[in-house]
Amino acid sequence: MPENVSMGRQLAHAHANRGKILFHTAIRFVLAGVVVLAGIRGNPPKGGPVNFLAGLLAACIALAALAWVFFPLIHCRDCLDFYETGITIGRRFWTLETLGNISFMDVRSNFSMFERTYMCTEARRFNVTYIKDAKKNYNRAYFNEI
């Protein structure tokens, strides 16, 4: 780990909030189940699809729904490591000079039930929604406050 030596000592670590990830996945699963159940009760299936394209379209819609339901699970390995000279986001190291001014922003969309959290820097915006106490650990690491 020669690159850890150049980063300085680790000041704080923020890991994925598994409870939040599982809660969001469960809510999406229940919502998708209600939609499927309502669709089946309103339109009971009477055999297979009419033709190949109709079956392909139904399969694509089902795959897109599964991707939407289980999307939060890809964030299980998210983490933030705060070092003296920079921050490791995921597996990529960013120096504090490259990031510049760092602020946190909570965004609520009209199309989502949940709020998203971003770490805004001069380099780019990082989605830290599923990282537990990202802002608190940042403040604790660099400003010695909560």
Side-chain angles (χ1 to χ4, degrees), residues 30-67:
V30 168
L31 185 61
V34 167
V35 169
V36 168
L37 184 64
I40 289 174
R41 297 256 310 144
N43 249 347
K46 296 176 179 137
V50 179
N51 60 22
F52 176 74
L53 285 177
L56 185 65
L57 179 63
C60 288
I61 290 172
L63 285 174
L66 280 175

mmCIF file of all heavy atoms in Angstrom, residues 30-67:
data_model
loop_
_atom_site.group_PDB
_atom_site.id
_atom_site.type_symbol
_atom_site.label_atom_id
_atom_site.label_comp_id
_atom_site.label_asym_id
_atom_site.label_seq_id
_atom_site.Cartn_x
_atom_site.Cartn_y
_atom_site.Cartn_z
ATOM 1 N N VAL A 30 -41.986 -3.573 -2.251
ATOM 2 C CA VAL A 30 -43.419 -3.530 -1.911
ATOM 3 C C VAL A 30 -44.187 -2.729 -2.955
ATOM 4 O O VAL A 30 -45.268 -3.146 -3.398
ATOM 5 C CB VAL A 30 -43.623 -2.951 -0.488
ATOM 6 C CG1 VAL A 30 -45.071 -2.616 -0.227
ATOM 7 C CG2 VAL A 30 -43.093 -3.915 0.551
ATOM 8 N N LEU A 31 -43.649 -1.582 -3.366
ATOM 9 C CA LEU A 31 -44.323 -0.759 -4.367
ATOM 10 C C LEU A 31 -44.453 -1.504 -5.697
ATOM 11 O O LEU A 31 -45.525 -1.488 -6.318
ATOM 12 C CB LEU A 31 -43.562 0.553 -4.566
ATOM 13 C CG LEU A 31 -44.189 1.574 -5.496
ATOM 14 C CD1 LEU A 31 -45.545 2.010 -4.966
ATOM 15 C CD2 LEU A 31 -43.284 2.778 -5.649
ATOM 16 N N ALA A 32 -43.399 -2.191 -6.119
ATOM 17 C CA ALA A 32 -43.461 -2.965 -7.359
ATOM 18 C C ALA A 32 -44.456 -4.121 -7.221
ATOM 19 O O ALA A 32 -45.195 -4.427 -8.166
ATOM 20 C CB ALA A 32 -42.076 -3.491 -7.725
ATOM 21 N N GLY A 33 -44.491 -4.747 -6.053
ATOM 22 C CA GLY A 33 -45.456 -5.824 -5.826
ATOM 23 C C GLY A 33 -46.890 -5.349 -5.902
ATOM 24 O O GLY A 33 -47.747 -6.035 -6.469
ATOM 25 N N VAL A 34 -47.156 -4.179 -5.341
ATOM 26 C CA VAL A 34 -48.513 -3.615 -5.397
ATOM 27 C C VAL A 34 -48.905 -3.312 -6.840
ATOM 28 O O VAL A 34 -50.025 -3.601 -7.268
ATOM 29 C CB VAL A 34 -48.608 -2.346 -4.513
ATOM 30 C CG1 VAL A 34 -49.867 -1.559 -4.793
ATOM 31 C CG2 VAL A 34 -48.524 -2.722 -3.052
ATOM 32 N N VAL A 35 -47.978 -2.757 -7.614
ATOM 33 C CA VAL A 35 -48.270 -2.441 -9.017
ATOM 34 C C VAL A 35 -48.531 -3.717 -9.811
ATOM 35 O O VAL A 35 -49.483 -3.789 -10.601
ATOM 36 C CB VAL A 35 -47.104 -1.624 -9.637
ATOM 37 C CG1 VAL A 35 -47.243 -1.525 -11.134
ATOM 38 C CG2 VAL A 35 -47.049 -0.251 -9.015
ATOM 39 N N VAL A 36 -47.709 -4.747 -9.608
ATOM 40 C CA VAL A 36 -47.906 -6.014 -10.325
ATOM 41 C C VAL A 36 -49.222 -6.660 -9.905
ATOM 42 O O VAL A 36 -49.978 -7.149 -10.753
ATOM 43 C CB VAL A 36 -46.705 -6.964 -10.074
ATOM 44 C CG1 VAL A 36 -47.015 -8.370 -10.541
ATOM 45 C CG2 VAL A 36 -45.474 -6.431 -10.771
ATOM 46 N N LEU A 37 -49.501 -6.668 -8.603
ATOM 47 C CA LEU A 37 -50.748 -7.259 -8.129
ATOM 48 C C LEU A 37 -51.961 -6.523 -8.691
ATOM 49 O O LEU A 37 -52.934 -7.154 -9.123
ATOM 50 C CB LEU A 37 -50.783 -7.249 -6.597
ATOM 51 C CG LEU A 37 -51.979 -7.930 -5.951
ATOM 52 C CD1 LEU A 37 -51.972 -9.418 -6.287
ATOM 53 C CD2 LEU A 37 -51.951 -7.725 -4.453
ATOM 54 N N ALA A 38 -51.910 -5.205 -8.726
ATOM 55 C CA ALA A 38 -53.013 -4.422 -9.292
ATOM 56 C C ALA A 38 -53.158 -4.700 -10.786
ATOM 57 O O ALA A 38 -54.276 -4.802 -11.297
ATOM 58 C CB ALA A 38 -52.784 -2.939 -9.050
ATOM 59 N N GLY A 39 -52.048 -4.861 -11.477
ATOM 60 C CA GLY A 39 -52.109 -5.163 -12.908
ATOM 61 C C GLY A 39 -52.687 -6.535 -13.175
ATOM 62 O O GLY A 39 -53.475 -6.723 -14.111
ATOM 63 N N ILE A 40 -52.336 -7.515 -12.353
ATOM 64 C CA ILE A 40 -52.854 -8.870 -12.548
ATOM 65 C C ILE A 40 -54.332 -8.934 -12.179
ATOM 66 O O ILE A 40 -55.134 -9.571 -12.863
ATOM 67 C CB ILE A 40 -52.025 -9.881 -11.735
ATOM 68 C CG1 ILE A 40 -50.647 -10.023 -12.371
ATOM 69 C CG2 ILE A 40 -52.721 -11.226 -11.654
ATOM 70 C CD1 ILE A 40 -49.685 -10.885 -11.579
ATOM 71 N N ARG A 41 -54.725 -8.262 -11.084
ATOM 72 C CA ARG A 41 -56.140 -8.280 -10.681
ATOM 73 C C ARG A 41 -57.006 -7.539 -11.695
ATOM 74 O O ARG A 41 -58.137 -7.940 -11.946
ATOM 75 C CB ARG A 41 -56.310 -7.626 -9.308
ATOM 76 C CG ARG A 41 -55.602 -8.325 -8.201
ATOM 77 C CD ARG A 41 -56.425 -9.138 -7.271
ATOM 78 N NE ARG A 41 -57.594 -8.469 -6.723
ATOM 79 C CZ ARG A 41 -58.719 -9.110 -6.504
ATOM 80 N NH1 ARG A 41 -58.828 -10.379 -6.801
ATOM 81 N NH2 ARG A 41 -59.746 -8.494 -5.982
ATOM 82 N N GLY A 42 -56.481 -6.478 -12.274
ATOM 83 C CA GLY A 42 -57.271 -5.712 -13.245
ATOM 84 C C GLY A 42 -57.299 -6.348 -14.615
ATOM 85 O O GLY A 42 -58.245 -6.162 -15.378
ATOM 86 N N ASN A 43 -56.282 -7.117 -14.949
ATOM 87 C CA ASN A 43 -56.160 -7.751 -16.260
ATOM 88 C C ASN A 43 -55.657 -9.179 -16.080
ATOM 89 O O ASN A 43 -54.481 -9.442 -16.270
ATOM 90 C CB ASN A 43 -55.141 -6.983 -17.100
ATOM 91 C CG ASN A 43 -55.743 -6.256 -18.233
ATOM 92 O OD1 ASN A 43 -56.880 -6.482 -18.571
ATOM 93 N ND2 ASN A 43 -54.953 -5.387 -18.831
ATOM 94 N N PRO A 44 -56.481 -10.116 -15.716
ATOM 95 C CA PRO A 44 -55.976 -11.473 -15.483
ATOM 96 C C PRO A 44 -55.412 -12.063 -16.777
ATOM 97 O O PRO A 44 -55.992 -11.897 -17.845
ATOM 98 C CB PRO A 44 -57.196 -12.245 -15.008
ATOM 99 C CG PRO A 44 -58.369 -11.390 -15.244
ATOM 100 C CD PRO A 44 -57.907 -10.006 -15.510
ATOM 101 N N PRO A 45 -54.249 -12.740 -16.701
ATOM 102 C CA PRO A 45 -53.651 -13.310 -17.907
ATOM 103 C C PRO A 45 -54.481 -14.480 -18.430
ATOM 104 O O PRO A 45 -54.978 -15.300 -17.671
ATOM 105 C CB PRO A 45 -52.271 -13.769 -17.433
ATOM 106 C CG PRO A 45 -52.365 -13.888 -15.960
ATOM 107 C CD PRO A 45 -53.439 -12.963 -15.511
ATOM 108 N N LYS A 46 -54.619 -14.531 -19.755
ATOM 109 C CA LYS A 46 -55.391 -15.603 -20.401
ATOM 110 C C LYS A 46 -54.504 -16.286 -21.437
ATOM 111 O O LYS A 46 -54.791 -16.272 -22.616
ATOM 112 C CB LYS A 46 -56.631 -15.031 -21.065
ATOM 113 C CG LYS A 46 -57.603 -14.423 -20.091
ATOM 114 C CD LYS A 46 -58.770 -13.792 -20.793
ATOM 115 C CE LYS A 46 -59.692 -13.236 -19.750
ATOM 116 N NZ LYS A 46 -60.199 -11.940 -20.067
ATOM 117 N N GLY A 47 -53.412 -16.838 -20.983
ATOM 118 C CA GLY A 47 -52.503 -17.515 -21.907
ATOM 119 C C GLY A 47 -51.231 -16.718 -22.091
ATOM 120 O O GLY A 47 -50.960 -15.744 -21.387
ATOM 121 N N GLY A 48 -50.444 -17.114 -23.046
ATOM 122 C CA GLY A 48 -49.169 -16.466 -23.323
ATOM 123 C C GLY A 48 -49.344 -15.173 -24.096
ATOM 124 O O GLY A 48 -50.458 -14.780 -24.467
ATOM 125 N N PRO A 49 -48.236 -14.496 -24.376
ATOM 126 C CA PRO A 49 -48.313 -13.264 -25.159
ATOM 127 C C PRO A 49 -48.787 -13.550 -26.587
ATOM 128 O O PRO A 49 -48.651 -14.654 -27.099
ATOM 129 C CB PRO A 49 -46.881 -12.746 -25.161
ATOM 130 C CG PRO A 49 -46.075 -13.668 -24.351
ATOM 131 C CD PRO A 49 -46.919 -14.797 -23.914
ATOM 132 N N VAL A 50 -49.349 -12.533 -27.204
ATOM 133 C CA VAL A 50 -49.913 -12.676 -28.540
ATOM 134 C C VAL A 50 -48.825 -13.012 -29.559
ATOM 135 O O VAL A 50 -48.997 -13.889 -30.395
ATOM 136 C CB VAL A 50 -50.646 -11.381 -28.948
ATOM 137 C CG1 VAL A 50 -51.218 -11.504 -30.340
ATOM 138 C CG2 VAL A 50 -51.738 -11.073 -27.947
ATOM 139 N N ASN A 51 -47.708 -12.322 -29.498
ATOM 140 C CA ASN A 51 -46.611 -12.596 -30.431
ATOM 141 C C ASN A 51 -45.273 -12.398 -29.726
ATOM 142 O O ASN A 51 -45.213 -12.035 -28.553
ATOM 143 C CB ASN A 51 -46.727 -11.728 -31.694
ATOM 144 C CG ASN A 51 -46.684 -10.248 -31.382
ATOM 145 O OD1 ASN A 51 -46.187 -9.844 -30.339
ATOM 146 N ND2 ASN A 51 -47.222 -9.443 -32.287
ATOM 147 N N PHE A 52 -44.211 -12.623 -30.469
ATOM 148 C CA PHE A 52 -42.865 -12.549 -29.895
ATOM 149 C C PHE A 52 -42.531 -11.144 -29.400
ATOM 150 O O PHE A 52 -41.953 -10.976 -28.329
ATOM 151 C CB PHE A 52 -41.841 -12.995 -30.943
ATOM 152 C CG PHE A 52 -40.423 -12.860 -30.487
ATOM 153 C CD1 PHE A 52 -39.901 -13.741 -29.560
ATOM 154 C CD2 PHE A 52 -39.618 -11.824 -30.959
ATOM 155 C CE1 PHE A 52 -38.592 -13.611 -29.115
ATOM 156 C CE2 PHE A 52 -38.315 -11.687 -30.523
ATOM 157 C CZ PHE A 52 -37.805 -12.583 -29.600
ATOM 158 N N LEU A 53 -42.891 -10.115 -30.147
ATOM 159 C CA LEU A 53 -42.573 -8.736 -29.751
ATOM 160 C C LEU A 53 -43.294 -8.339 -28.465
ATOM 161 O O LEU A 53 -42.733 -7.636 -27.613
ATOM 162 C CB LEU A 53 -42.910 -7.760 -30.871
ATOM 163 C CG LEU A 53 -41.931 -7.753 -32.046
ATOM 164 C CD1 LEU A 53 -42.411 -6.806 -33.126
ATOM 165 C CD2 LEU A 53 -40.547 -7.379 -31.580
ATOM 166 N N ALA A 54 -44.516 -8.796 -28.308
ATOM 167 C CA ALA A 54 -45.250 -8.493 -27.064
ATOM 168 C C ALA A 54 -44.574 -9.167 -25.876
ATOM 169 O O ALA A 54 -44.441 -8.577 -24.800
ATOM 170 C CB ALA A 54 -46.701 -8.937 -27.185
ATOM 171 N N GLY A 55 -44.138 -10.406 -26.052
ATOM 172 C CA GLY A 55 -43.420 -11.107 -24.985
ATOM 173 C C GLY A 55 -42.089 -10.456 -24.676
ATOM 174 O O GLY A 55 -41.687 -10.339 -23.513
ATOM 175 N N LEU A 56 -41.376 -10.006 -25.716
ATOM 176 C CA LEU A 56 -40.099 -9.320 -25.530
ATOM 177 C C LEU A 56 -40.287 -7.999 -24.787
ATOM 178 O O LEU A 56 -39.506 -7.670 -23.888
ATOM 179 C CB LEU A 56 -39.424 -9.085 -26.882
ATOM 180 C CG LEU A 56 -38.034 -8.488 -26.864
ATOM 181 C CD1 LEU A 56 -37.064 -9.449 -26.201
ATOM 182 C CD2 LEU A 56 -37.573 -8.169 -28.267
ATOM 183 N N LEU A 57 -41.328 -7.261 -25.128
ATOM 184 C CA LEU A 57 -41.624 -6.005 -24.436
ATOM 185 C C LEU A 57 -41.959 -6.254 -22.966
ATOM 186 O O LEU A 57 -41.474 -5.533 -22.080
ATOM 187 C CB LEU A 57 -42.772 -5.270 -25.128
ATOM 188 C CG LEU A 57 -43.191 -3.947 -24.492
ATOM 189 C CD1 LEU A 57 -42.036 -2.943 -24.565
ATOM 190 C CD2 LEU A 57 -44.424 -3.399 -25.152
ATOM 191 N N ALA A 58 -42.741 -7.288 -22.693
ATOM 192 C CA ALA A 58 -43.078 -7.618 -21.302
ATOM 193 C C ALA A 58 -41.833 -8.026 -20.530
ATOM 194 O O ALA A 58 -41.657 -7.636 -19.368
ATOM 195 C CB ALA A 58 -44.117 -8.734 -21.282
ATOM 196 N N ALA A 59 -40.940 -8.777 -21.160
ATOM 197 C CA ALA A 59 -39.701 -9.186 -20.500
ATOM 198 C C ALA A 59 -38.801 -7.981 -20.234
ATOM 199 O O ALA A 59 -38.179 -7.881 -19.171
ATOM 200 C CB ALA A 59 -38.959 -10.219 -21.351
ATOM 201 N N CYS A 60 -38.713 -7.052 -21.165
ATOM 202 C CA CYS A 60 -37.898 -5.831 -20.972
ATOM 203 C C CYS A 60 -38.452 -4.976 -19.830
ATOM 204 O O CYS A 60 -37.689 -4.435 -19.031
ATOM 205 C CB CYS A 60 -37.829 -5.025 -22.264
ATOM 206 S SG CYS A 60 -36.797 -5.769 -23.523
ATOM 207 N N ILE A 61 -39.770 -4.864 -19.761
ATOM 208 C CA ILE A 61 -40.390 -4.094 -18.681
ATOM 209 C C ILE A 61 -40.124 -4.777 -17.342
ATOM 210 O O ILE A 61 -39.807 -4.109 -16.344
ATOM 211 C CB ILE A 61 -41.902 -3.922 -18.934
ATOM 212 C CG1 ILE A 61 -42.119 -2.973 -20.117
ATOM 213 C CG2 ILE A 61 -42.623 -3.409 -17.697
ATOM 214 C CD1 ILE A 61 -43.545 -2.881 -20.589
ATOM 215 N N ALA A 62 -40.200 -6.097 -17.295
ATOM 216 C CA ALA A 62 -39.932 -6.827 -16.050
ATOM 217 C C ALA A 62 -38.472 -6.665 -15.626
ATOM 218 O O ALA A 62 -38.181 -6.466 -14.441
ATOM 219 C CB ALA A 62 -40.278 -8.299 -16.220
ATOM 220 N N LEU A 63 -37.544 -6.724 -16.573
ATOM 221 C CA LEU A 63 -36.131 -6.538 -16.241
ATOM 222 C C LEU A 63 -35.844 -5.119 -15.754
ATOM 223 O O LEU A 63 -35.061 -4.922 -14.817
ATOM 224 C CB LEU A 63 -35.251 -6.875 -17.442
ATOM 225 C CG LEU A 63 -35.084 -8.358 -17.743
ATOM 226 C CD1 LEU A 63 -34.311 -8.567 -19.030
ATOM 227 C CD2 LEU A 63 -34.409 -9.060 -16.587
ATOM 228 N N ALA A 64 -36.469 -4.127 -16.383
ATOM 229 C CA ALA A 64 -36.293 -2.744 -15.940
ATOM 230 C C ALA A 64 -36.856 -2.555 -14.532
ATOM 231 O O ALA A 64 -36.259 -1.859 -13.702
ATOM 232 C CB ALA A 64 -36.965 -1.782 -16.916
ATOM 233 N N ALA A 65 -37.976 -3.192 -14.235
ATOM 234 C CA ALA A 65 -38.557 -3.097 -12.896
ATOM 235 C C ALA A 65 -37.648 -3.756 -11.865
ATOM 236 O O ALA A 65 -37.452 -3.220 -10.773
ATOM 237 C CB ALA A 65 -39.944 -3.739 -12.877
ATOM 238 N N LEU A 66 -37.065 -4.905 -12.197
ATOM 239 C CA LEU A 66 -36.132 -5.564 -11.277
ATOM 240 C C LEU A 66 -34.896 -4.701 -11.042
ATOM 241 O O LEU A 66 -34.404 -4.605 -9.917
ATOM 242 C CB LEU A 66 -35.720 -6.929 -11.828
ATOM 243 C CG LEU A 66 -36.715 -8.055 -11.615
ATOM 244 C CD1 LEU A 66 -36.234 -9.323 -12.318
ATOM 245 C CD2 LEU A 66 -36.929 -8.320 -10.146
ATOM 246 N N ALA A 67 -34.388 -4.073 -12.091
ATOM 247 C CA ALA A 67 -33.227 -3.191 -11.935
ATOM 248 C C ALA A 67 -33.578 -2.014 -11.030
ATOM 249 O O ALA A 67 -32.770 -1.608 -10.187
ATOM 250 C CB ALA A 67 -32.751 -2.702 -13.294
#
